[in-house]
Amino acid sequence: MRLALAQSSSSRRAAHVATALRGINAQQAAQLAEMLRSEINGSYGYTIAYALMPIWAAGDPQSAMEFAKSLTSSTRRNYAIHGVLTGWAQNNLEDALAYVQSMPKGTDRTTAARALMTEIAARDPKRALALITEENLHSTRSTSELTSVFKTWGRLDPVTAAQEVMKLPAGSQKTYAIRNLVGEWAKNDPDAALAFAQNLEDASAKSSAIAAVIGAIAQEDPQRGAQLALGLKGRSQRDAVMQLIPSWADKDLQGAVAFVQSLPEGPARQSAMTSIGSKWAQTDPAAAAEFAMQLQPGTSRNNLIRAVAGAWGQKDAGAAMTWVNDLPSSSAKVSAMYDIVNRLADRDPADAAKWIETIPSGYSRSRLYDDIARTWVKQDPGAAMAWAKALKPGEGQRNALRDIVNGLTAKDPAKAAAFASEFTGGNLNSMAETIAYSWGQKDPAATMNWIAAIEDKTAQAGAYSRLFGAWDNVDPAAAAQAAINIPELSNKGSIVSSLANQWARDDANAAIDWVNTITDEKIRNSAVSGMISGLAQTSGETAAELVAGLPPGSEQDKAAVTVVGRWAGTDPGAAAGWVSQFPEGDARKNGMRTLFGSWGRSDAHTASEYLAHLPDGPSRTSAIESFVDAADSRSPEAAAQWVTQLSSEDKRTQGRIEQVARYWLRYDRVAAEAWLGTVSIPDARREYLLKQANSARTISSSYRYRSGFDGTTEATTIRAFSP
């Protein structure tokens, strides 16, 4: 698994991880998860979680869930919980659903419910549709659960799905759902799907649906798809062309190229050439390059130049770079050079290092040093180190050195430390931090001894911070005690706070006992603050008790708000009951703002009910403002109920009303228009919002096909957990 995770590209990483896990059982998955705890908490944790946790959960979902909840990184924890619920639902959907519905309403429950939607939709789309409403999973995104349900439904029972989709309120979600439905329907019955799409009354939905049908038809009969596309006009034609070209190019590249070349000059031809360029360049890069230069200057030509350069560079980097070098100076030229070297870095880092100096300096070039160093240190550490040492100080060298010592530390941390000692200043600082974090996960005691010998105090302080950042994932108790005992630790307060946070989640009682032994009042206060934050993620009640025991003042107020923020994600009702007991003041006001910002995103309707019972005062106003800002994109109808209760004299209220309207018009145009007719805003602004909504629907429809999004369920579930 560690070898799999060392792959440089995300696609290779995922493929190798899947191969490594092939054939293991639930018990082995549990053992492997514990062995890889630090990796799961790290950069590639999501790759492991999505592949490993479902295997464990299929045999022992409760233990797998306990492990997932114990992860220190909130983002990785969400990935792991998603993986557990995926495996659990595949093996026992009813138990998995019962577990989710037993959770208190809040962010965690909403996130968990999203993880089950794929499995529920595959078995019973109508039930999935009901659950979306029940769990308030509505969204204005094109990749929402609602649109994915209709994609699945279109495959299982398109006629029933077509009846149900027409019951949705007018808006972007209905348009997205129709597109996904007919795209699947057309794979089995293209004529019926096309007839349905052509009979739609809404122009935006009709254009989107016809393009999706043409894309499906083109997979089997690209010529028919092309004829249908040519019968359309304007943006509808461009959308359709962009749908049919990829599948046609896979089947008959020359036929697809000929069709695109026969199109009249215009947006459809420009966009299609960008889509087909990389495939054409893989078979005949010189011809694709010649055609690219015949296009009118602009985005389409620039995109095609990059596509040709990237594909040609994989076959013959020298020829590709020669062609790019002869291009007139432009951002497209620089981007194309970057793409060539970027791809070459994976295959031949030494050759890539020769070409990198031909690229104009800048942010893009500096990133290439990372790519080259990361691959080269695995193939030839000695050559990679010599190259990095010979680089000019500044741009790129620090990046290269950091990646080289990272690769060295994985195999021989002492060698990496010796290499780092040859440098000073910023380079030493960067490498020391990299070594400390990687080595600290394996042998924190040896790492601490090495750091203590570093003479540069700035580098030493940074290395200590990174060491303890790694150590708290392995043994927070030992790390905390070690941090206290280092007299020269300049940032001891922040380090101790972070360690206490982790320790409190692992063993609250032990952490509390330890904090009580700290004699330095300033350090103890830092530890208490971190401990409270950690406890709030596992036991809001315990954290609240600790806050109550703090002396009154700003520190207690800040700790209280921290608890509310953490508690709101697991049990917002309990957090609301606690913060409601605060007297009117900054702590209550800030706590309410934090609480309803979280609650408005996760369960706007329950939060709205609670808002109705809050007494008037500054904290209630703060809660309403935060609620409206959080709920406007997910539950605009709930936000609309409260935004009009804010002061009309506050200029921000006008902006909030307009923002709610924008989202609601996308989700349910009829209801939003009716509401807009009741709110107090200038007629000119009302008309502008309605006009903008029409324009946005048209633009979003065309953009979807330019970006090539295919609405897959996998993309939906991953994005649901994106930070």
Side-chain angles (χ1 to χ4, degrees), residues 234-303:
R235 181 171 284 112
S236 296
Q237 183 186 80
R238 182 174 62 185
D239 292 348
V241 168
M242 288 300 293
Q243 282 289 290
L244 72 89
I245 287 299
S247 56
W248 194 354
D250 287 337
K251 289 178 174 292
D252 178 12
L253 177 61
Q254 294 306 316
V257 170
F259 169 73
V260 173
Q261 290 177 312
S262 71
L263 290 172
E265 185 58 47
R269 187 172 189 262
Q270 297 275 336
S271 299
M273 280 313 311
T274 301
S275 173
I276 206 171
S278 59
K279 292 182 181 295
W280 192 7
Q282 289 169 8
T283 58
D284 191 350
E290 181 180 356
F291 184 82
M293 301 316 297
Q294 297 174 14
L295 295 175
Q296 295 179 356
T299 302
S300 295
R301 185 171 80 165
N302 291 346
N303 290 341

Side-chain angles (χ1 to χ4, degrees), residues 46-78:
Y46 66 93
T47 304
I48 309 174
Y50 279 126
L52 178 62
M53 300 310 294
I55 300 173
W56 186 359
D60 187 356
Q62 297 292 347
S63 297
M65 185 62 75
E66 289 177 12
F67 172 86
K69 289 183 174 180
S70 73
L71 295 173
T72 56
S73 165
S74 60
T75 304
R76 311 305 176 220
R77 186 163 58 248
N78 283 340

Side-chain angles (χ1 to χ4, degrees), residues 43 499 515:
S43 301
L499 293 169
V515 168

Side-chain angles (χ1 to χ4, degrees), residues 432-452 460-474 479 482-483 486 489 495 499:
E433 291 180 10
T434 300
I435 294 169
Y437 185 77
S438 182
W439 197 359
Q441 296 180 62
K442 301 172 183 177
D443 190 346
T447 309
M448 191 161 63
N449 290 336
W450 166 69
I451 295 173
Q460 187 183 65
Y464 272 132
S465 293
R466 295 292 285 163
L467 162 65
F468 288 110
W471 202 350
D472 71 353
N473 290 330
V474 180
I486 299 176
L489 195 57
I495 289 175
L499 293 169

Side-chain angles (χ1 to χ4, degrees), residues 510-531:
I512 292 171
D513 290 342
W514 168 71
V515 168
N516 289 331
T517 67
I518 301 175
T519 57
D520 186 304
E521 183 178 0
K522 185 176 180 180
I523 298 299
R524 185 171 63 251
N525 288 340
S526 296
V528 169
S529 175
M531 185 172 63

Side-chain angles (χ1 to χ4, degrees), residues 201-249:
E201 295 181 359
D202 183 280
S204 177
K206 182 176 182 178
S207 174
S208 168
I210 290 176
V213 172
I214 289 175
I217 290 174
Q219 294 181 14
E220 298 298 328
D221 187 352
Q223 295 288 347
R224 183 188 176 194
Q227 291 175 356
L228 289 170
L230 290 175
L232 302 175
K233 296 180 180 180
R235 181 171 284 112
S236 296
Q237 183 186 80
R238 182 174 62 185
D239 292 348
V241 168
M242 288 300 293
Q243 282 289 290
L244 72 89
I245 287 299
S247 56
W248 194 354

Side-chain angles (χ1 to χ4, degrees), residues 54 311 323 329 348 399 512 603 710:
W323 170 65
S329 297
D348 190 344
N399 296 30
I512 292 171
D603 184 8
D710 61 2

Side-chain angles (χ1 to χ4, degrees), residues 470-557:
W471 202 350
D472 71 353
N473 290 330
V474 180
D475 188 349
Q481 196 56 52
I484 289 291
N485 294 333
I486 299 176
E488 69 272 20
L489 195 57
S490 59
N491 51 345
K492 186 178 295 188
S494 62
I495 289 175
V496 167
S497 175
S498 176
L499 293 169
N501 182 302
Q502 175 59 44
W503 196 357
R505 281 180 274 172
D506 291 346
D507 188 344
N509 291 328
I512 292 171
D513 290 342
W514 168 71
V515 168
N516 289 331
T517 67
I518 301 175
T519 57
D520 186 304
E521 183 178 0
K522 185 176 180 180
I523 298 299
R524 185 171 63 251
N525 288 340
S526 296
V528 169
S529 175
M531 185 172 63
I532 289 173
S533 178
L535 277 173
Q537 297 185 44
T538 57
S539 175
E541 295 90 341
T542 304
E545 291 175 7
L546 284 175
V547 171
L550 294 175
S554 60
E555 291 300 321
Q556 186 190 49
D557 290 350

